[in-house]
Amino acid sequence: MMNIVVLAKLVPDLVEELTIDASGAALDLTFARWIINELFDDHAIEQGILLKERSGGTVTVIAPDLEGADDVLFTAAAKGADRLIKVRSDFSAANNHAVARAFSAIIKGFQPDLILTGVQAHNDLDGSAGPLLAESLGLPYVGYVSGVALADGKFMVKKEYPGGLIAEMEVTLPAVFGIQAAEQPPRYVAVSKVRQAMKTSSIEEMDASDLDLSGAPEIERMFQPEAAAHAEMLEGTPEEVSAKLVALFKELGVL
Amino acid sequence: MSQDIYVVIEHLRGQVADISYTMLAAARELSRATSGKVIAVLLGHNAKNLARDFAADQVLYLDHASLAEFTSDAYQKALAELISKDQPRAVLFGNTSIGADVASVLSMRLGLPLVNSCRSFTSEAKFISQICGGKIMAEGELPSPTALVTMVPGGYQPDQGKSVESPPVTESAVPALEALRVTLSKYIEPESADVDISKEPLLIAVGRGIQNKDNIELADALAQAIGGVVCASRPVIDQGWLPTSRLVGKSGKHVKPKIYFAMGISGAPEHVEAITQSDTIIAVNTDPRAPIFNVAKYGVEMDIFELVETLTETVKQAK
Amino acid sequence: MPIRETFWNIPHWAEIAQYVLALLTALVFIYGVGHRVLRWRKGLPEKRSGHFWARIWSLVTQVLAQRRTLDEAYPGLMHFTIFWGMLVLAIGTALATVDWDVTNLFFGFQFLTGWVYILFELTLDVLGLLVVVGLGMAIYRRYVTRPARLQKFPTLENVSYAARDDAYVLLMLAFITLSGYLTEGLRIAVTQPDWAAWSPVGSAISAAFLALGDPANQTLHLIVWAIHILSAFVILASLPFTKLFHIFSTPLNIYFRSLEPAGALQAPRSEGGVKEWKQFTWKQLLDFEACTRCGRCQDVCPAYASGHEFSPRDVMIKLEMHLWEKPNGRALHGDVVSAAELWSCTTCRACSQVCPAFIDHVGSFVDMRRYLVVEGTVDNQLQKALANLGRYGNSFGQSERMRAKWTQGLQPAIKDARKEPVEYLWFVGDYASYNQTLIDVTRKTAQVFQRAGLNFGILYDAERNSGNDVRRVGEEGLYEMLAEKNLQALSRCKYETIVTTDPHTYNTLKNEYAWNGNRPRILHYTELLDELISSGQLKFSKKLDARVTYHDPCYLGRYNGVYDAPRRILHAAGCELVEVPRHGDRAFCCGAGGGRIWMEEKPGRERPSEMRVREAVALDGVTTFVVACPKDVTMFRDAVKTTGSESRIQVKDLIELVYEAM
Ligand SMILES: Cc1cc2nc3c(=O)[nH]c(=O)nc-3n(C[C@H](O)[C@H](O)[C@H](O)COP(=O)(O)OP(=O)(O)OC[C@H]3O[C@@H](n4cnc5c(N)ncnc54)[C@H](O)[C@@H]3O)c2cc1C
Ligand code: SF4
Ligand code: SF4
C-alpha cells in the first residue's frame, strides 16, 4: 500500500496572448487562465493513478490555490485520486523555491512513500519544483522519469536521456520523481465523471506558511524575443516556390 | 569566493554532450564580464580522457566509482562539497536530464540562487532566460554570491566551446559517497537500428501541421525524390506516426544536416535547440509569426498540402 | 354445390393428432413469444405511446402497403408478393379451420360454400403462386446474384447463424407452399370436383397424378398432407426463434417508432451510457429484433463504404445475437461490438432513412459511445478535441477571446448582440469562426447579411460550440455544459430569430436545446436567404449562369428536411442545378459528422468525401460543387485535392454564390 502524493502545478495557459505588466519585469497575469501543466503534471497524476491501480495505495493530489485548481483537483478525483488538497496562499506571484518550501511543510505531514510531480513547467525561472521540493524534504530526486515500478521490494524508475536512451535506476523510498511522461498518456475523463466527483469528493484546504521567496533570481526586464533574424521569405504560387526551392537545393549541393 | 565560472560537464556513456560545449562557450562570455576563469568540472570514473577538447582554463576532475555513470544523489553530494569549498561566481549546468536533477537540489541545499533556462549572458554579466515556450525572455543580474544556472542551447554554438589544446586537468577531492539513495541498475537501449538522423545530410522534418499519419507519406515521397530522410517534432512521434528514432529535439536527437526542411513545425525551443547546427534551415508554415521563421534562413508561408506535391514533382523533374 | 370438405381423406385419428400437434405448437410458440416479451421488459423504460392514429397510419402505409420496402424494385416486389401471398394463405387457412371446426362442428353450418368457396379457392390458388414467385426471386437473389449486402454476416465461433436462419426460413416457406399445392392437386385428382377449374394451379398439378389412379393418389395425398401439416407446425413453432419473427417485431417496431424530430437525440437513460444490453430500452431491444438483415442500411452507409470494419447491419445482427446468449458470456463492449465500430459511424442517418424496419441505429450507437466516453476509450485526437471544447468552448484549442477575430476590419462592425437588441442573432459556429480557410466565407456571409439590410448581431466570445457533435460522440456532460453556457448567453440577449451557419448547430439548437417552451425561431442561413429572396429584401444583380451541383448536408436535409430552400436560392442566383445521383434524403454523407471530424482517419479504401467528389465530377459540365455547411467546405476542398479534381470542380459555399450574384 503505497502512499502517493502528486504535486500538481498550475501554469498560465499559453494559448492566451502573453503580455508583460507595467513594471516590465513580470508577466501580466490579470487575465491569465491557470491550467494544469499539461505536458508534465497531468502525466504525474496519471502515473500516480496507474501505480495505484497496479500496486494499490492511495493518491493524494495537492495543488496551489489558484483559479482553476478546483477543476484540476476534481478531474484528478474523477480519474481515481483519493484525497484532494488545495494549499492557500498568494501563489500567483510565488516562485518554485517558495512553492517547494510551502508544500514540503504540508506534505511532510502525510508521510508519503512517493511524491510525483511534472518534470518542469514553462514558467520555471528558478529551477523546477520537483527537485526543490525533494531537497526541502531531504528526499532523493530523479527527474525525466517515464515509468515507475515496484519490483521485488525495490523501487525502480526509468529515466530518459536524449535520443531515447533509458536508465533504469533503483531509488530508496520515500523519494520525489519528476515525471516526463506517464506510462500511458493521461486518460480522458468525461465531464459527467468530473461533475460526479464534485459531488462525492471534497477538497481540503490548508494554509501555507508564509512564502519564502529566496533562492530565485531577480528579474529586471521581460521581453518578447524580437524576430530580428527573420527568414527570407520565398513568395509565389506553389509552382514558383517549388522552383525557387529546387534552385536553392542545387545551390546548396544536395540535388 | 572567486570570480571563476564552473561548468559541470555532461557526459553519457563515454560521450560528452553538446550542451557541455555550449556551456563552455557561455562561460567564456561570462568570464570576460566577471574576469574569472572558465573551469570545467568533470565527474566520472577513469574518464579523465574526456577532458581533451574543452575550451576551459582548467579542468577539475572528480574521480569515484560511484560517479562512473550519472546518478543524481552522487553528483549532488560531490558537487555540493566542491561548490561550498570553492565558492565560484557561477556554476553552469545543462537544463537537461542530468543538470536539472542536480542544480535545483543544490540551490536548496546550499542556499544558493538558481537561474533556470538561461539561454545567454550579456557582456554585463546579465542572464537572459527563456520561458513560456520561448515566447518570453527574462533578463536579470547574475545573482550572488554563487549563481547556479541551468542552460538551454541556442545562445551559443557548441563549436565555440571546443579547443584544440587540452586544458590542464587537476584532480579534485571527492567526498565519501556513501549511503547513496539512487543507483543505476542498467541502461535500456532505444528500440531499432533505424537510420541515424543525426548523421543525415538532408532532413525533411514534419510537425503537427502534417495533421495525420497518412500525410507522412507526402513527406516520405518528397524525401525519396530528393534523397533525404523524414524526421519529426514530438507531437508526431507521440502519435506513433514515426518511430522514436526520428525525433528531433530536446528529448530526441540533435541534428546537423546541410538542409533542414521543416514543414508544419512551429519552432518551439525544445525543438529548435536541436536544429541550430544545421547549415540551412528552410521552414514551411501557414503562420507567418511561427517562431521557426526566426531560426530559418528561408521561409515559405504556405499550407504544406498546397506545396509538397508540387515540390516533389519539381524535384523529380530537376533530377 | 361447391363446398369445402376440409378434412377430406383424413382419418379421424389424424385430425385429432393434428389438433394435439397444434396445441403443442401453440405452447412452444407462446413460450417463444413470451421469452421475447419478457426480454423486452428487461430493457429500460421508454415512452412510445400517444399519436395513436399516426401510428396506425404507419402500419397501414409501411406494413400493409410496404411503402419503404417498395423503394427498391426487386427486393420490394419480392417481399411484397411473399408478404401478401403468405398473409392471404394464412387467413385462408384460418377461415377454413373456422369453417370446419367451429361453425360446422358446433353450429352445423359452413360459410365456405357456393360462389364464396369458389372465390376462396381461386384466391388462395393464385396468391400461392405469388408466394412461389416471390420465394423464387428471393432464392435467386440470395444464392445466385448474391448482392454484397446479403453476404458476410457476422459469425459466432465461425458459424453464421444469420445465414442459416435465412436459409431455413426460405426453405421452409418454399416447402410449405409447394407441399400445399401438392396436397391440393392430389385432392383434386381424386375428387375431381366440377369447380376444379377455379383452382388453376391445383388442377394443373392434379393432371400429373391422374394416371396414378385412385388408391395410390389417396394414400399419397394422406402422406403429403401429413408432411405439409407437420412442416407448417414446425415453422409456426420455430417462428419466435427465427427471422420469421419479424412478421411481429417489425410491425411492432414501426408502430412504436419515434415520432419526435429525428434530430432530437434521447438523453442517456442509463447513467454512464449502455454497458450491457439490459441498459438499452425495450424499444432499442425491439429494434435489434426487428432487423431483417436486409442490408439496405449497409448499402447506404458511408462508414461501411469507406472500408471501416463496420456495417450498421452487422451491428444490429450482432446485438440481436447477443440477446440470445447466456448471461456471463461475452461482454457487449469488446466482444460483441468493438469501439472501432462504434467510432466509425458519422451519425448521418442514411441507414435509418432506408431501413424498412424503422430502426434507430444512431440512438443505440450513441448510447454505447456514451459508455466508451465514460470509460475514456477515445482516440488521442478526439480526446484533445474534447479537452479543448471543455476548456475553450471550441475544438481548435484557441482562446475564446479569438472567436470573433474574423470580424476584424469588417465595416460596418458587426453588432454585439449582448449589448444591443438585434432582430437576427447569428450563431456563427466553431468552424466558421476559427478555421483559417473558412474565414473568407464567414466574412462574405456577414457582408451578404449586411447588404440585405439585416439587423443582426453575434455573441462574440460568449458563443460556444453548440455541442451537436459533442453529444453524438457520447460526451453528454460536456454537451450539457456547452448548451448551458450558450443558453445563458442567449438569455441575456434580445433577438427574434437565431440564424446559424452550421447545420449541426442548427439541429441541436432547434431540436435539443432546453428552451423551456420559449424556443425562438431558428433558421439555417439558407432558409433565411430563401425568405429574403422571396420577400424581395435580397435581390440579385446578376445571373451566375453556372452549372452546379448541390450536396445536402445530413443535418440540414435528412435530419431537418430542409431540401428546397438551398435549391431555390441556387435557382434565384441563376445557377443550373444538376443533381448528384444521391441527393435529397439519399444524400451521401461527407464523413465529418458525429464527431468523426475530430477523430483520427484510419487509412481506408476511400473517404466518403472523395467518393462524393467523384460522384459530382462525373456529372456532365458541372464545375461547382455547392455546399451549405462549413465543415463540408473543408471536407470537400480536401477531397477535391486528394482526388486530383482541382481542374474539374471547385467547392463553394452557397453563400459565396449568393455573394457573387449580389
Ligand atoms: C522537456 C520537453 C522536451 C521536449 N522535447 C521535444 C523534442 O525533443 N522535440 C520536439 O519537437 N518537441 C519537444 N518538446 C515539445 C515542444 O515544446 C513543442 O510542443 C513541439 O515541438 C511542437 O511541435 P510542432 O511544432 O510540431 O507542433 P505545433 O507547435 O503545434 O506547431 C504546428 C505548426 O504547424 C503549422 N501548420 C499547421 N497546419 C499547417 C499546414 N497545413 N501547413 C503548414 N503549416 C501548418 C502551424 O502554424 C504551427 O506553427 C518538448 C517539450 C518539453 C517541455
Ligand atoms: S437495420 Fe434495417 S436496413 Fe439494416 S439490415 Fe436491419 S432491417 Fe435492414
Ligand atoms: S448513421 Fe450513417 S454512418 Fe452511421 S451507421 Fe448509419 S449510415 Fe452508417
Side-chain angles (χ1 to χ4, degrees):
Chain A
M1 282 292 280
M2 237 178 305
N3 181 357
I4 305 163
V5 172
V6 182
L7 162 55
K9 290 187 301 293
L10 286 93
V11 292
D13 190 350
L14 292 184
V15 157
E16 304 296 342
E17 201 112 349
L18 290 172
T19 45
I20 291 154
D21 72 5
S23 76
L27 289 177
D28 184 351
L29 297 173
T30 332
F31 296 110
R33 182 205 310 269
W34 292 88
I35 59 169
I36 180 136
N37 175 17
E38 271 183 327
L39 281 173
F40 306 108
D41 291 59
D42 215 13
H43 282 259
I45 293 176
E46 183 66 31
Q47 185 64 66
I49 308 273
L50 285 173
L51 200 60
K52 167 188 161 176
E53 285 169 352
R54 206 164 51 211
S55 322
T58 56
V59 176
T60 305
V61 180
I62 173 165
D65 183 11
L66 286 161
E67 203 191 319
D70 288 12
D71 233 29
V72 169
L73 290 170
F74 284 128
T75 305
K79 290 180 181 179
D82 306 276
R83 197 173 163 197
L84 313 174
I85 289 158
K86 191 160 75 175
V87 181
R88 273 191 306 231
S89 195
D90 179 20
F91 284 110
S92 63
N95 57 38
N96 281 336
H97 279 76
V99 168
R101 290 187 192 105
F103 277 62
S104 72
I106 290 171
I107 292 176
K108 201 172 271 166
F110 302 157
Q111 300 186 314
D113 300 306
L114 203 63
I115 300 160
L116 307 176
T117 187
V119 64
Q120 62 179 70
H122 68 66
N123 61 350
D124 290 345
L125 253 175
D126 61 330
S128 6
L132 291 169
L133 178 70
E135 186 59 24
S136 307
L137 289 163
L139 298 179
Y141 173 80
V142 180
Y144 289 75
V145 167
S146 64
V148 297
L150 190 61
D152 317 324
K154 291 181 188 164
F155 202 80
M156 297 293 210
V157 298
K158 291 196 167 109
K159 179 178 173 66
E160 281 198 11
Y161 287 118
L165 181 71
I166 287 170
E168 197 174 68
M169 300 208 168
E170 188 183 336
V171 186
T172 10
L173 297 188
V176 180
F177 299 113
I179 302 294
Q180 153 105 344
E183 285 149 39
Q184 286 165 24
R187 64 194 74 188
Y188 183 71
V189 262
V191 170
S192 61
K193 277 180 110 176
V194 179
R195 286 193 175 170
Q196 188 68 26
M198 287 180 178
K199 285 188 208 130
T200 52
S201 36
S202 57
I203 295 176
E204 299 166 52
E205 300 198 1
M206 297 191 177
D207 285 312
S209 47
D210 282 343
L211 293 179
D212 169 3
L213 296 166
S214 67
E218 204 155 311
I219 305 300
E220 291 167 355
R221 164 173 104 94
M222 277 196 187
F223 56 98
Q224 292 175 332
E226 70 259 44
H230 200 272
E232 179 187 325
M233 300 303 281
L234 309 178
E235 317 269 339
T237 63
E239 289 72 24
E240 289 162 9
V241 169
S242 296
K244 286 182 193 169
L245 284 170
V246 166
L248 202 57
F249 293 154
K250 284 191 172 149
E251 190 187 312
L252 295 168
V254 293
L255 256 186
Chain B
M1 187 72 208
S2 80
Q3 289 303 315
D4 298 342
I5 312 298
Y6 280 27
V7 173
V8 178
I9 299 297
E10 297 196 356
H11 58 96
L12 205 55
R13 309 171 89 202
Q15 284 262 312
V16 177
D18 274 352
I19 187 72
S20 306
Y21 299 107
T22 307
M23 291 192 289
L24 287 166
R28 180 59 62 201
E29 167 127 22
L30 188 56
S31 70
R32 273 195 282 274
T34 62
S35 346
K37 282 183 292 183
V38 173
I39 298 183
V41 181
L42 179 64
L43 293 79
H45 187 49
N46 302 327
K48 209 188 236 175
N49 61 330
L50 291 180
R52 262 165 301 142
D53 57 351
F54 299 158
D57 300 311
Q58 190 194 349
V59 178
L60 285 180
Y61 177 54
L62 285 73
D63 189 290
H64 192 283
S66 298
L67 295 174
E69 304 292 341
F70 172 79
T71 57
S72 51
D73 220 11
Y75 261 54
Q76 288 157 4
K77 282 199 170 130
L79 287 168
E81 175 111 353
L82 180 75
I83 295 168
S84 22
K85 182 164 59 79
D86 294 1
Q87 299 186 6
R89 179 68 189 86
V91 186
L92 310 190
F93 300 84
N95 187 5
T96 62
S97 193
I98 292 178
D101 271 17
V102 180
S104 298
V105 168
L106 292 180
S107 166
M108 261 305 169
R109 190 174 297 174
L110 305 175
L112 296 175
L114 173 69
V115 177
N116 198 45
S117 286
C118 172
R119 191 165 182 273
S120 59
F121 296 103
T122 67
S123 49
E124 297 98 51
K126 291 190 175 173
F127 66 85
I128 299 179
S129 281
Q130 101 189 351
I131 54 168
C132 299
K135 288 182 176 170
I136 299 284
M137 309 302 266
E139 189 187 280
E141 208 72 60
L142 191 69
S144 304
T146 297
L148 306 180
V149 182
T150 69
M151 304 272 317
V152 295
Y156 305 91
Q157 289 294 329
D159 281 348
Q160 299 169 267
K162 287 183 183 161
S163 92
V164 273
E165 283 159 51
S166 307
V169 179
T170 322
E171 295 228 11
S172 181
V174 183
L177 297 178
E178 281 158 3
L180 292 174
R181 300 165 297 178
V182 179
T183 47
L184 177 76
S185 112
K186 65 168 185 280
Y187 285 115
I188 302 166
E189 296 297 332
E191 76 230 50
S192 96
D194 194 22
V195 285
D196 184 354
I197 52 168
S198 64
K199 300 204 170 83
E200 290 293 324
L202 207 162
L203 293 173
I204 307 294
V206 291
R208 211 198 304 258
I210 199 79
Q211 288 173 4
N212 62 43
K213 187 171 180 164
D214 300 356
N215 293 336
I216 302 275
E217 283 168 23
L218 297 175
D220 256 332
L222 175 61
Q224 263 172 22
I226 195 170
V229 166
V230 177
C231 58
S233 69
R234 206 170 63 173
V236 174
I237 306 292
D238 282 351
Q239 295 289 340
W241 299 342
L242 280 170
T244 320
S245 53
R246 303 291 180 96
L247 173 60
V248 176
K250 186 181 170 81
S251 31
K253 290 216 169 86
H254 284 225
V255 297
K256 27 190 169 296
K258 279 190 172 156
I259 293 186
Y260 190 79
F261 192 77
M263 301 194 290
I265 292 180
S266 63
E270 293 84 0
H271 186 82
V272 166
E273 66 166 69
I275 64 172
T276 47
Q277 289 183 72
S278 313
D279 290 348
T280 306
I281 297 172
I282 305 171
V284 183
N285 199 303
T286 40
D287 178 5
R289 292 180 314 171
I292 189 81
F293 288 132
N294 301 339
V295 291
K297 183 127 181 243
Y298 300 98
V300 181
E301 183 192 332
M302 194 175 281
D303 192 319
I304 305 173
F305 305 108
E306 274 174 27
L307 178 68
V308 66
E309 280 159 313
T310 317
L311 179 57
T312 308
E313 277 314 304
T314 320
V315 166
K316 277 186 191 155
Q317 281 158 19
K319 269 199 160 169
Chain C
M1 190 183 73
I3 190 155
R4 176 148 179 119
E5 195 187 339
T6 297
F7 283 103
W8 171 83
N9 188 35
I10 308 302
H12 202 59
W13 59 265
E15 204 182 323
I16 306 268
Q18 189 208 316
Y19 282 99
V20 174
L21 268 180
L23 193 69
L24 283 177
T25 301
L27 286 177
V28 177
F29 182 86
I30 289 167
Y31 169 80
V33 174
H35 180 77
R36 297 239 193 195
V37 173
L38 289 178
R39 202 164 59 193
W40 296 334
R41 294 178 58 102
K42 285 188 185 146
L44 299 178
E46 174 161 19
K47 190 170 174 288
R48 282 298 166 89
S49 46
H51 307 286
F52 178 73
W53 290 111
R55 293 183 186 283
I56 293 293
W57 184 241
S58 304
L59 289 183
V60 172
T61 54
Q62 301 298 347
V63 180
L64 298 184
Q66 304 253 297
R67 274 244 316 258
R68 215 177 245 192
T69 314
L70 285 169
D71 272 349
E72 292 188 28
Y74 187 108
L77 206 64
M78 169 196 105
H79 190 267
F80 191 83
T81 52
I82 301 177
F83 170 72
W84 273 106
M86 274 297 175
L87 188 65
V88 172
L89 290 185
I91 293 173
T93 311
L95 280 182
T97 313
V98 172
D99 177 62
W100 188 253
D101 278 329
V102 181
T103 58
N104 188 32
L105 187 68
F106 296 109
F107 309 105
F109 91 95
Q110 285 184 263
F111 52 87
L112 291 178
T113 56
W115 64 269
V116 176
Y117 178 54
I118 296 219
L119 204 63
F120 175 85
E121 281 290 289
L122 181 67
T123 315
L124 290 201
D125 201 74
V126 172
L127 284 173
L129 207 57
L130 267 190
V131 175
V132 173
V133 170
L135 288 172
M137 284 171 84
I139 290 168
Y140 182 75
R141 181 159 175 270
R142 186 172 293 271
Y143 300 108
V144 182
T145 54
R146 298 161 62 92
R149 76 184 194 198
L150 296 182
Q151 304 297 318
K152 297 214 183 94
F153 292 114
T155 56
L156 197 58
E157 277 144 17
N158 285 326
V159 183
S160 178
Y161 290 98
R164 280 190 188 175
D165 189 27
D166 289 333
Y168 168 81
V169 166
L170 275 184
L171 216 75
M172 284 304 276
L173 288 183
F175 189 81
I176 286 177
T177 322
L178 294 177
S179 60
Y181 268 133
L182 212 55
T183 318
E184 188 192 21
L186 285 165
R187 176 165 48 86
I188 294 175
V190 178
T191 57
Q192 301 196 14
D194 305 339
W195 55 87
W198 292 106
S199 304
V201 183
S203 326
I205 294 173
S206 73
F209 290 94
L210 277 180
L212 267 181
D214 235 1
N217 270 344
Q218 223 162 315
T219 322
L220 205 58
H221 172 264
L222 183 59
I223 295 172
V224 174
W225 175 83
I227 294 177
H228 175 68
I229 290 296
L230 262 176
S231 55
F233 284 137
V234 167
I235 208 166
L236 279 175
S238 66
L239 197 148
F241 307 99
T242 65
K243 174 190 195 167
L244 265 185
F245 190 71
H246 86 274
I247 63 175
F248 299 117
S249 56
T250 307
L252 273 177
N253 208 47
I254 292 173
Y255 180 84
F256 286 119
R257 77 196 167 100
S258 167
L259 297 172
E260 299 293 308
L265 200 64
Q266 293 287 313
R269 272 111 351 157
S270 63
E271 208 174 311
V274 168
K275 182 187 181 194
E276 45 192 43
W277 70 261
K278 285 178 194 162
Q279 289 165 332
F280 283 116
T281 71
W282 63 268
K283 174 59 182 58
Q284 289 173 310
L285 299 178
L286 183 58
D287 264 355
F288 312 152
E289 296 185 29
C291 171
T292 63
R293 305 194 279 266
C294 71
R296 293 183 191 215
C297 52
Q298 174 173 309
D299 263 4
V300 296
C301 174
Y304 175 79
S306 60
H308 285 276
E309 296 283 312
F310 164 77
S311 143
R313 177 201 77 174
D314 288 355
V315 177
M316 286 301 134
I317 296 176
K318 290 197 277 190
L319 289 169
E320 199 264 351
M321 287 203 299
H322 184 53
L323 298 184
W324 292 99
E325 284 175 53
K326 297 206 171 53
N328 70 38
R330 301 179 319 144
L332 173 61
H333 285 277
D335 294 338
V336 178
V337 186
S338 72
E341 284 179 288
L342 291 174
W343 291 126
S344 303
C345 173
T346 71
T347 71
C348 72
R349 243 184 70 83
C351 48
S352 309
Q353 187 76 32
V354 297
C355 176
F358 285 77
I359 288 166
D360 171 21
H361 308 73
V362 174
S364 297
F365 295 171
V366 170
D367 270 334
M368 289 186 279
R369 282 181 172 188
R370 284 171 172 153
Y371 172 75
L372 294 180
V373 168
V374 167
E375 283 300 290
T377 317
V378 293
D379 80 31
N380 290 337
Q381 244 164 282
L382 178 59
Q383 175 165 351
K384 187 82 198 142
L386 293 175
N388 284 337
L389 284 158
R391 184 176 292 153
Y392 309 109
N394 67 74
S395 60
F396 292 82
Q398 291 192 27
S399 166
E400 58 254 56
R401 284 165 216 153
M402 295 293 142
R403 185 173 273 275
K405 191 159 167 246
W406 64 268
T407 59
Q408 274 173 13
L410 274 184
Q411 279 307 330
I414 296 181
K415 284 186 186 169
D416 188 337
R418 295 169 301 178
K419 299 193 180 129
E420 53 187 312
V422 291
E423 190 180 345
Y424 292 95
L425 191 144
W426 178 20
F427 202 102
V428 187
D430 271 21
Y431 267 74
S433 301
Y434 284 107
N435 189 314
Q436 289 303 315
T437 56
L438 291 174
I439 282 180
D440 182 47
V441 179
T442 314
R443 290 171 68 95
K444 280 183 182 155
T445 314
Q447 283 163 304
V448 169
F449 288 174
Q450 283 172 343
R451 285 200 227 164
L454 285 193
N455 172 11
F456 73 101
I458 62 174
L459 284 175
Y460 283 85
D461 31 330
E463 187 187 299
R464 293 283 176 284
N465 179 296
S466 69
N468 187 68
D469 299 282
V470 171
R471 190 164 205 217
R472 278 148 186 88
V473 156
E475 199 2 333
E476 186 75 6
L478 183 53
Y479 167 72
E480 284 168 7
M481 203 169 97
L482 293 166
E484 268 164 36
K485 289 203 175 144
N486 281 324
L487 280 171
Q488 225 170 54
L490 287 167
S491 70
R492 296 203 192 100
C493 305
K494 279 210 163 55
Y495 60 93
E496 278 154 36
T497 304
I498 295 181
V499 48
T500 79
T501 334
D502 190 325
H504 300 245
T505 307
Y506 172 70
N507 180 65
T508 192
L509 284 177
K510 187 167 171 179
N511 298 314
E512 296 180 323
Y513 270 36
W515 297 105
N516 289 328
N518 290 322
R519 190 178 83 178
R521 202 161 78 107
I522 296 168
L523 297 177
H524 184 249
Y525 80 85
T526 53
E527 293 177 295
L528 173 64
L529 294 182
D530 182 38
E531 273 184 26
L532 295 176
I533 291 169
S534 50
S535 71
Q537 198 175 342
L538 187 119
K539 288 197 186 66
F540 291 132
S541 61
K542 56 174 184 268
K543 293 267 169 212
L544 287 182
D545 221 16
R547 246 169 107 79
V548 306
T549 191
Y550 171 72
H551 166 80
D552 289 279
C554 306
Y555 278 89
L556 193 60
R558 257 193 305 275
Y559 272 99
N560 288 293
V562 180
Y563 299 113
D564 300 335
R567 289 178 168 78
R568 277 195 295 264
I569 299 170
L570 282 173
H571 182 74
C575 295
E576 185 194 345
L577 176 65
V578 184
E579 296 284 6
V580 256
R582 293 177 282 186
H583 65 271
D585 64 0
R586 296 298 147 96
F588 192 64
C589 171
C590 75
R596 288 263 358 137
I597 200 163
W598 300 319
M599 296 177 213
E600 280 161 31
E601 281 261 13
K602 298 266 154 29
R605 276 192 295 245
E606 199 183 13
R607 295 193 191 97
S609 53
E610 293 169 344
M611 295 181 224
R612 192 68 166 153
V613 165
R614 287 186 209 284
E615 204 177 341
V617 165
L619 298 174
D620 199 29
V622 168
T623 51
T624 310
F625 187 97
V626 183
V627 297
C629 165
K631 292 189 184 91
D632 279 340
V633 180
T634 51
M635 293 301 282
F636 289 122
R637 286 212 174 132
D638 173 62
V640 164
K641 275 183 214 157
T642 53
T643 54
S645 317
E646 291 106 318
S647 56
R648 310 278 300 278
I649 206 159
Q650 53 173 336
V651 176
K652 281 198 176 162
D653 195 284
L654 186 53
I655 205 82
E656 293 180 274
L657 296 178
V658 171
Y659 182 84
E660 282 169 35
M662 271 174 91

